[in-house]
Amino acid sequence: MSAVEYEPVIGLEIHIQLATATKMFCGCALSFGEPPNTHTCPVCLGLPGSLPVANARAVHFGLVIGLALGSELAPRSIFHRKNYFYPDLPKGYQISQYDLPLCRGGRLGEVRIHRVHLEEDAAKLVHVGASGRIHGSDASVVDFNRGGTPLAEIVTEPDLRSAEAAGEWLRLLRTTMRVLGVSDVNMEEGSLRCDANISLRPAGSEELGVKTELKNMNSFRFIERGIRAELARQEAILQAGERVQQETLHFDPASERITSLRSKEEAHDYRYFPEPDLVPVAIDAAMLSAARAALPELPAARAERFERELGLSADSAHLLAFRAELGDYFEAALCAAVDPAPPAQALANWISGDLLARLTGGETVTDAGDMGGGGGGDPLSSRVEPQALAVLVGLVAAKRVSVGAGRQVLDRLVAEGGDPAAIVAAEGLAAIDGGDELSAIVAEALAAHPEAAANVRAGNAKAIGPIVGHVMRATKGRADGGEVTRLVHTQLGV
Amino acid sequence: MSAAAIVELSAASAVQELAAGRLSAAELFDAYRARAAADELNCFTWVAEGPPAAESGGALRGVPLAVKDLFCTAGVPSQSGSRILEGYRPPYTATVVARLAAAGAPLLGKTNQDEFAMGSSNENSAFGPVLNPWDRARVPGGSSGGSAAAVAAGLAPWALGTDTGGSIRQPAALCGIVGLKPTYGAVSRYGMIAFASSLDQAGPLTRDVTDAALLLRHMVGRDECDATSLGHPEEIALPSAESLSGVRFGVPEELTGEGIDPGVLDAFRGALARARELGAEILDVRLPHATHGLSAYYVLAPAEASSNLARFDGVRYGLRADGAEDLLELYTRTRHDGFGAEVRRRIMLGTYALSAGYYDAYYGRAQRVRTKIVGDFDAAFAEVDFILTPTSPTVAFPLGERTGDPWSMYISDFCTVPMSLAGIPAISIPCGLAGDGAGAQLPVGLQLAGPVFSENRLLDAAFALERALGFDGSRVRGGGSA
Amino acid sequence: MIDRDEVLHVARLARLKLDDGEVESMARELSGVLDHIAKIGELSLDDVPPTSHVVEVVGRLRPDEPRPCLPREVALEQAPSVSDGGFLVPSPQA
Ligand SMILES: [Mg+2]
Ligand SMILES: [Zn+2]
């Protein structure tokens, strides 16, 4: 009997911490690793009598996200209370949105968006182990610094069909949010968090299977691994003729194990009702035009423009557009107005190739998903000024500096920064043109490698290697490879 | 001025005496502080040692204020009548208390109340019941019972209360004083320990209508810390009307017939006759859904309360049960031990009404009844200027009489709840005495309700009626302390 | 109208411990109140919109400007149990 083929059906729920100055419902400044409970007030501590007031900028960011995703913006949306008890939830309810969210529908890439709503983040629970002051068992300490941070929750339709596709799409979402400037979207710091709803159905079926919810995976790698592990677990259950239980699960990346988060007796009953302490959010023309004005060019449009207006290859255009920091650097370099001007494609190649390899210690460009964004992968925070790279690529393109010498200059720029023209002059790295000096060195190389010279003369083009190598050594790489080959051929009479 | 003479001054008269230099702020404060400290009615849960060190200026300069326990007052116990908040001293002060302090009213003390404002008799306080100064074997009404009894007994010149379904008006009626529930949103709720957010509103409890207007004037205002606060479109004026000529009063049969004690109805009819003498027109109006007000209220208010009271979990403040083995036990025991029976009952009722499968039948329907009640009032106010009803179906009832059956207590708010659901202003003024069949003569309250933000007209009408009715509450003013 | 099991379920949702005797009396009292409330079931309300709030304003958004926070010792002052600058609780997972 052959096994049934199953198709994965995956939807994502993403929580994004918004980059406002203050919390969602109070004036506390957002916290970035300050000592516990130093960013609190009566509102975000849930003190008796305190009341929430919604942050205008968080609403603005919500609208910007909605516009970017092509969502329908609710002219009037309301906040609800989601009631449950947990020590990280000071009021015993989370203020969130329920049946009237800020944004509905939309699409990003191939994935449809179900809704986008605003809510407040929970506080942080730090496990402290056994404590003498808590009877019997383990204790935790609650830090309310994070509590009340504004969140946008983005819920997709179940349009993803593999773990890899989910990871890929999440990268696109992250870039989009970064370009929008609404969030730091840093998974390690928790400003982007992702839950996945996962189910399997017989291939070709239109019905949805029983889904499980995989909670709070905190890196792109874990998300893909977690989804893969859960798909495998569900498939094993189904192939054994059993049923998948609807439940909330946790993936432990260390052990690759999936465990149930909540016991079954804990029924979910959030008793949503309209938050009576807040009034509806109504979108007026001013808010809408402010959100439209804040809307930057999105990755897909940018890639299209790079191709159309700058003549970049599709791959280069996509790479630079979807890694916003590379695209920004590229455009800054292109605008630097240097003479000779670097061709756009050459500049793109230098950025995605030599420069990035030096900044990331050799990591390949397309697998940049797990990087936080700052640090190694971002050329704007390196010592290489966009203008400097533009000068260098311009010189190489004009053959005033050889490719090899250009790489040496780049090494210096990455290490110390500075002006490429000055480095070229100081180090004597200017290209040797096709004049007498290079002719003499080529002659010397032919003399030093008689065997290779004979092979080349006999028609073996590949035999030229040792001769060119000799010239490059002698010129410290300043010679242009093409010119050297031409001179070898001339002198050998080929 | 002698202490006895001081206590006979209304708050507005005290302001004048202070301004004229015939009375000092210290004399005034000390006279009331001494009486509040000797309180025999259990009105106060905390009494100030003295006036605030820094005396502020302002229109109310020097007239001490009693404040219901549930208003947060920085560094001062703010317990909302609950064991779960016993000894709780908040780090901030409620906006309305801060406004009144800025207007010059020093805090005299915090007054006893039904726990989390849930009750109509003050018997639900963790700090013991308040006694009615007219008859100490009877309740003062609730939930602002401490504030009402303190003002009636002359232990405070005036007081702040809160009204969710009648919690200012009903105790004012049962204690023979004036109580005003403003339009929802006129006064900030920031710093009021919440019972039911969409209904709670702070208001004055005073000896007369003029004092109510004076205190309200300094309470209203838009507060950026309360998104639902609106302030008031008009400055609150001191009332001056003598005639009711041209004023149309509507009497709804739904709230003035069945269920109202005969003695109360007699006093009510007497007040109508007075109104007619002053030139008012008395008309019949219909509030067809008013009789469903209590049902809607006892879904909506407990639902909101069940959520508002979830924050009392023994983690950040207040009581924590000892020796809990785990988090669940810590929650359930803390909340069992910290909340009284009525609060537990309403949390259960509200949780049930919001729970899966019941939301539409209870919460959803109650919200629709609320819409109907709002519509009833809109229609009525197209015909009349104000609606008149008795404030409470009965006079003050004996302690313990209604504690056995929740609904028998809940119907105390039968006449006041519809106005709360509609968010409209309503004032209770004393309109006479009535027996309850046992011979005692006890105050009866007359409720006047008007459209939203009609406070100035409402106060004027109440003022004219107050003068015509000539109720004398001075008899119990000496009675609150030894 | 509300039975023992429902009372226990609701008590669990509300995080209220009820002793055995209290379950019975709670069921009785809630049923009594619910009987009265049930009257609104008789009204025809199909086309009536719900009112969550009588306040007819919208927006009321707060400018995104920081306000002073509470000093930590004030934030922790009223807590029943404090450790490491935070509020000490039994671990939820325990
Ligand atoms: Mg969420
Ligand atoms: Zn805060």
Side-chain angles (χ1 to χ4, degrees):
Chain A
M1 183 180 108
S2 70
V4 183
E5 277 228 21
Y6 287 102
E7 177 188 48
V9 177
I10 303 161
L12 301 179
E13 288 181 25
I14 302 100
H15 287 89
I16 287 168
Q17 285 185 339
L18 297 176
T20 50
T22 65
K23 293 185 179 181
M24 185 69 219
F25 296 113
C26 66
C28 289
L30 298 193
S31 167
F32 298 93
E34 284 86 355
N37 293 303
T38 52
H39 282 242
T40 71
C41 71
V43 178
C44 59
L45 281 175
L47 296 192
S50 65
L51 296 172
V53 185
N55 183 335
R57 197 163 173 76
V59 173
H60 167 75
F61 282 159
L63 295 178
V64 170
I65 292 172
L67 284 175
L69 300 179
S71 306
E72 195 182 307
L73 307 180
R76 184 174 171 281
S77 74
I78 65 173
F79 288 101
H80 269 67
R81 291 188 184 177
K82 180 181 182 179
N83 295 282
Y84 64 96
F85 287 85
Y86 213 70
D88 63 8
L89 196 64
K91 301 185 293 298
Y93 53 86
Q94 180 195 33
I95 305 178
S96 180
Q97 294 192 290
Y98 184 55
D99 55 3
L100 286 172
L102 191 65
C103 319
R104 249 188 237 275
R107 167 182 292 277
L108 179 65
E110 295 304 301
V111 175
R112 289 169 303 149
I113 302 296
H114 178 60
R115 59 186 273 156
V116 181
H117 73 246
L118 298 175
E119 59 185 30
E120 54 179 343
D121 206 348
K124 213 162 80 186
L125 267 176
V126 183
H127 193 77
V128 293
S131 161
R133 266 181 286 175
I134 294 283
H135 189 81
S137 66
D138 276 4
S140 296
V141 159
V142 201
D143 168 13
F144 287 95
N145 282 355
R146 191 185 72 180
T149 298
L151 296 177
E153 180 176 330
I154 301 171
V155 183
T156 77
E157 298 291 351
D159 287 352
L160 293 155
R161 293 291 172 266
S162 72
E164 297 69 31
E168 176 95 346
W169 185 82
L170 202 57
R171 288 185 179 90
L172 169 59
L173 179 76
R174 187 188 59 166
T175 304
T176 306
M177 294 302 128
R178 183 170 295 154
V179 170
L180 292 176
V182 297
S183 172
D184 300 337
V185 282
N186 185 322
M187 285 199 94
E188 279 77 54
E189 287 164 22
S191 55
L192 184 154
R193 303 196 290 270
C194 183
D195 306 336
N197 290 307
I198 301 167
S199 64
L200 286 176
R201 65 182 171 197
S205 162
E206 286 296 306
E207 259 171 69
L208 294 175
V210 177
K211 68 176 181 185
T212 57
E213 190 181 6
L214 203 53
K215 275 281 182 199
N216 249 331
M217 294 163 287
N218 59 6
S219 86
F220 284 91
R221 242 186 284 275
F222 294 165
I223 283 166
E224 290 185 32
R225 277 166 52 191
I227 293 175
R228 259 197 296 275
E230 173 56 11
L231 287 171
R233 190 188 71 90
Q234 286 190 15
E235 174 144 22
I237 291 172
L238 293 173
Q239 297 291 10
E242 286 161 28
R243 280 163 194 268
V244 173
Q245 295 285 334
Q246 180 162 354
E247 58 188 333
T248 302
L249 303 169
H250 172 77
F251 172 68
D252 176 13
S255 66
E256 299 266 336
R257 278 192 42 193
I258 285 175
T259 47
S260 187
L261 259 187
R262 290 189 187 137
S263 58
K264 255 174 274 160
E265 59 158 344
E266 183 60 35
H268 286 246
D269 189 346
Y270 292 127
R271 288 159 283 137
Y272 279 100
F273 74 101
E275 163 59 289
D277 288 332
L278 291 168
V279 296
V281 176
I283 307 308
D284 60 26
M287 290 162 81
L288 209 53
S289 61
R292 287 224 173 84
L295 208 61
E297 185 184 36
L298 293 174
R302 196 180 202 187
E304 218 253 346
R305 176 170 61 86
F306 284 171
E307 265 192 83
R308 194 186 61 232
E309 289 179 10
L310 302 174
L312 293 194
S313 70
D315 282 353
S316 289
H318 186 271
L319 176 70
L320 294 182
F322 281 71
R323 285 199 54 188
E325 71 279 10
L326 298 186
D328 292 348
Y329 187 89
F330 168 71
E331 295 207 70
L334 211 56
C335 290
V338 299
D339 185 36
Q345 182 66 55
L347 192 57
N349 293 347
W350 274 84
I351 291 170
S352 58
D354 288 287
L355 176 60
L356 206 61
R358 280 163 177 75
L359 297 179
T360 58
E363 200 174 313
T364 60
V365 171
T366 47
D367 184 30
D370 280 282
M371 293 181 315
D378 185 359
L380 281 169
S381 56
S382 78
R383 291 198 164 85
V384 189
E385 297 290 329
Q387 152 135 16
L389 190 75
V391 168
L392 177 60
V393 176
L395 290 172
V396 172
K399 297 195 188 292
R400 306 230 301 248
V401 172
S402 72
V403 172
R407 291 194 174 117
Q408 292 177 49
V409 175
L410 187 58
D411 286 337
R412 286 280 301 275
L413 290 174
V414 168
E416 300 157 22
D419 171 18
I423 295 171
V424 167
E427 302 287 316
L429 290 170
I432 297 170
D433 58 23
D436 295 343
E437 190 188 352
L438 191 57
S439 276
I441 296 169
V442 169
E444 186 190 303
L446 288 174
H449 301 276
E451 211 171 311
N455 285 338
V456 172
R457 195 180 287 118
N460 182 358
K462 282 183 188 154
I464 201 168
I467 303 165
V468 175
H470 184 105
V471 175
M472 288 302 173
R473 268 194 304 281
T475 61
K476 293 181 187 143
R478 291 177 300 146
D480 178 74
E483 183 64 12
V484 173
T485 306
R486 198 184 59 79
L487 285 170
V488 169
H489 289 170
T490 310
Q491 293 189 17
L492 291 176
V494 211
Chain B
M1 204 178 273
S2 74
I6 288 173
V7 171
E8 279 309 304
L9 296 169
S10 72
S13 321
V15 167
Q16 284 174 356
E17 296 300 302
L18 284 161
R22 289 190 289 269
L23 176 65
S24 79
E27 263 182 292
L28 180 61
F29 192 91
D30 288 345
Y32 277 107
R33 207 207 85 79
R35 292 178 61 77
D39 165 26
E40 292 181 343
L41 303 172
N42 199 25
C43 293
F44 286 91
T45 51
W46 177 87
V47 176
E49 290 293 324
E55 199 184 303
S56 58
L60 305 180
R61 184 174 58 88
V63 185
L65 179 71
V67 173
K68 190 177 183 179
D69 196 16
L70 61 68
F71 290 91
C72 285
T73 41
V76 166
S78 306
Q79 312 161 114
S80 206
S82 183
R83 191 167 171 237
I84 212 161
L85 279 178
E86 192 164 354
Y88 174 66
R89 290 168 190 259
Y92 77 108
T93 296
T95 300
V96 62
V97 177
R99 287 181 79 98
L100 291 169
L107 178 63
L108 173 64
K110 300 295 288 288
T111 57
N112 203 345
Q113 59 167 90
D114 280 302
E115 184 178 7
F116 289 109
M118 297 179 196
S120 307
S121 69
N122 225 298
E123 291 164 293
N124 297 333
S125 170
F127 307 106
V130 175
L131 312 182
N132 190 317
W134 292 80
D135 178 349
R136 294 187 185 194
R138 289 173 188 264
V139 304
S143 66
S144 307
S147 285
V151 172
L155 308 184
W158 51 14
L160 280 190
T162 63
D163 191 312
T164 306
S167 279
I168 288 174
R169 291 161 284 163
Q170 185 258 11
L174 268 47
C175 289
I177 61 165
V178 172
L180 170 65
K181 182 199 90 74
T183 303
Y184 183 89
V187 180
S188 167
R189 292 185 296 115
Y190 191 74
M192 269 167 54
I193 300 175
F195 163 16
S197 309
S198 77
L199 296 156
D200 293 345
Q201 188 62 191
L205 289 122
T206 57
R207 248 177 244 177
D208 61 31
V209 174
T210 303
D211 280 2
L214 181 59
L215 195 55
L216 182 65
R217 175 192 288 178
H218 297 281
M219 293 173 68
V220 298
R222 162 99 181 95
D223 179 8
E224 61 181 28
C225 292
D226 175 1
T228 66
S229 87
L230 303 163
H232 204 282
E234 300 166 4
E235 193 191 16
I236 302 300
L238 295 191
S240 58
E242 289 179 13
S243 145
L244 290 173
S245 158
V247 175
R248 295 162 303 164
F249 284 127
V251 177
E253 64 176 63
E254 293 84 0
L255 301 179
T256 53
E258 207 185 327
I260 313 292
D261 270 9
V264 171
L265 273 183
D266 282 351
F268 176 68
R269 294 202 187 100
L272 294 183
R274 277 282 116 82
R276 228 177 253 117
E277 286 164 25
L278 290 174
E281 210 182 327
I282 311 288
L283 302 162
D284 289 334
V285 288
R286 295 294 313 271
L287 297 173
H289 299 87
T291 50
H292 294 284
L294 270 189
S295 296
Y297 177 84
Y298 275 97
V299 172
L300 298 174
E304 292 182 18
S306 72
S307 177
N308 282 335
L309 269 55
R311 68 189 60 198
F312 300 101
D313 59 3
V315 174
R316 285 143 296 128
Y317 42 77
L319 182 82
R320 168 183 287 198
D322 283 332
E325 293 284 343
D326 57 25
L327 184 67
L328 180 64
E329 199 189 337
L330 182 131
Y331 282 154
T332 59
R333 288 201 16 226
T334 295
R335 291 165 60 77
H336 175 273
D337 299 353
F339 292 136
E342 178 62 21
V343 171
R344 293 206 298 268
R345 194 147 51 224
R346 295 209 199 175
I347 289 174
M348 290 288 293
L349 187 58
T351 304
Y352 177 76
L354 289 174
S355 66
Y358 295 104
Y359 182 93
D360 291 336
Y362 289 104
Y363 195 79
R365 281 194 86 76
Q367 283 187 311
R368 290 177 163 79
V369 175
R370 191 172 187 182
T371 306
K372 285 293 203 183
I373 288 173
V374 171
D376 284 358
F377 278 110
D378 285 346
F381 288 131
E383 311 279 319
V384 298
D385 297 302
F386 305 106
I387 283 168
L388 291 189
T389 73
T391 307
S392 162
T394 67
V395 292
F397 44 91
L399 286 158
E401 185 185 85
R402 299 184 187 177
T403 46
D405 172 12
W407 196 260
S408 73
M409 186 71 83
Y410 297 173
I411 56 172
S412 308
D413 293 332
F414 177 68
C415 297
T416 49
V417 149
M419 294 74 183
S420 296
L421 290 169
I424 58 175
I427 188 169
S428 177
I429 62 171
C431 69
L433 297 174
D436 68 342
Q441 289 292 301
L442 294 158
V444 174
L446 169 70
Q447 176 177 232
L448 296 80
V452 289
F453 296 125
S454 64
E455 276 84 348
N456 275 329
R457 290 192 294 118
L458 190 64
L459 285 159
D460 251 346
F463 177 76
L465 268 174
E466 175 184 56
R467 290 181 47 150
L469 290 163
F471 181 84
D472 180 11
S474 63
R475 179 155 79 72
V476 297
R477 243 175 334 260
S481 64
Chain C
M1 208 165 160
I2 174 166
D3 64 23
R4 205 191 139 78
D5 285 348
E6 276 181 304
V7 166
L8 287 171
H9 169 69
V10 173
R12 163 83 184 207
L13 283 177
R15 295 296 185 272
L16 277 175
K17 181 179 149 66
L18 293 179
D19 303 329
D20 272 355
E22 287 171 330
V23 178
E24 303 303 332
S25 57
M26 186 67 81
R28 198 172 54 247
E29 290 158 1
L30 291 184
S31 294
V33 174
L34 289 170
D35 279 346
H36 288 282
I37 288 173
K39 282 194 203 118
I40 59 172
E42 297 159 12
L43 293 169
S44 127
L45 297 165
D46 291 345
D47 301 327
V48 182
T51 296
S52 351
H53 228 287
V54 291
V55 172
E56 284 173 18
V57 292
V58 292
R60 285 292 154 80
L61 303 175
R62 174 179 60 79
D64 185 28
E65 290 156 10
R67 300 282 212 94
C69 295
L70 290 174
R72 178 157 80 182
E73 60 276 15
V74 174
L76 297 174
E77 193 185 354
Q78 302 281 330
S81 188
V82 164
S83 176
D84 303 307
F87 300 86
L88 194 67
V89 292
S91 265
Q93 247 73 46

